[in-house]
Amino acid sequence: MSRWTNPEEWARLCSGEACVICRQGVPHDVIAELESCWVTMGEESPMQGYCCLVFRRHAVELHDLTPDEGAAFMHDIQRVSRILQSLTGAVKLNYEVHGNTLPHLHMHLFPRYVGDAFEGGPINPRAVKGPVYAPGECEALKQRVRAALAG
Ligand SMILES: [Zn+2]
């Protein structure tokens, strides 16, 4: 069942009127606020080092951004992906923009590792069973990401 099957609800989500992020003011698990977006990172992740970059104003599609907003968002994406690769030792970063259930522009950043559960293919977050972090590991990584963004 998709939210697309209810055109009125979908329109309210896309307009921002019923957007849960806009109603809360900020997304969950924010670890940093950059020029264009919030950086979120939490214990419940499909992959170690997973981050989500949530655009700070309500927008649905990348083409909804002004050229300056698009440039700022890309700059922030590059900053975070560079830091994630450095801190995690990822062999590749994966970038995903969907918004099929939450149409407030956000980009998922997945560090990929040799031998990860999805090696050679796309990530399926629904197939991840159990925590990907040992106790304290996520918090330590958050602090390192924050420090790198502040530096
Ligand atoms: Zn929104």
Side-chain angles (χ1 to χ4, degrees):
M1 184 69 168
S2 155
R3 291 184 164 189
W4 302 342
T5 57
N6 182 334
E8 290 81 21
E9 182 192 2
W10 184 245
R12 286 173 14 91
L13 289 167
C14 289
S15 73
E17 180 188 345
C19 174
V20 67
I21 291 172
C22 292
R23 285 185 163 199
Q24 289 172 179
V26 292
H28 292 294
D29 297 323
V30 172
I31 64 163
E33 190 171 315
L34 304 182
E35 180 186 349
S36 74
C37 61
W38 293 285
V39 181
T40 72
M41 181 181 254
E43 293 279 346
E44 290 182 26
S45 294
M47 191 73 68
Q48 283 199 9
Y50 163 79
C51 282
C52 188
L53 305 188
V54 182
F55 200 67
R56 286 172 53 182
R57 79 162 174 88
H58 188 84
V60 178
E61 305 293 352
L62 286 167
H63 64 244
D64 293 335
L65 307 186
T66 68
D68 285 348
E69 287 176 330
F73 194 37
M74 182 54 73
H75 179 253
D76 289 341
I77 291 163
Q78 289 176 324
R79 276 185 77 196
V80 176
S81 66
R82 188 174 293 117
I83 286 167
L84 283 180
Q85 188 160 42
S86 170
L87 292 179
T88 64
V91 293
K92 179 72 184 78
L93 268 289
N94 286 183
Y95 313 83
E96 297 185 14
V97 176
H98 301 279
N100 298 320
T101 54
L102 182 54
H104 178 123
L105 182 61
H106 57 283
M107 176 176 282
H108 305 277
L109 296 187
F110 300 94
R112 300 298 305 269
Y113 308 99
V114 174
D116 75 34
F118 309 101
E119 189 172 306
I123 293 163
N124 178 3
R126 292 178 181 89
V128 175
K129 306 285 185 243
V132 298
Y133 290 108
E137 201 174 19
C138 182
E139 195 52 45
L141 183 57
K142 285 182 191 180
Q143 289 178 15
R144 294 177 71 203
V145 172
R146 275 194 204 103
L149 285 169

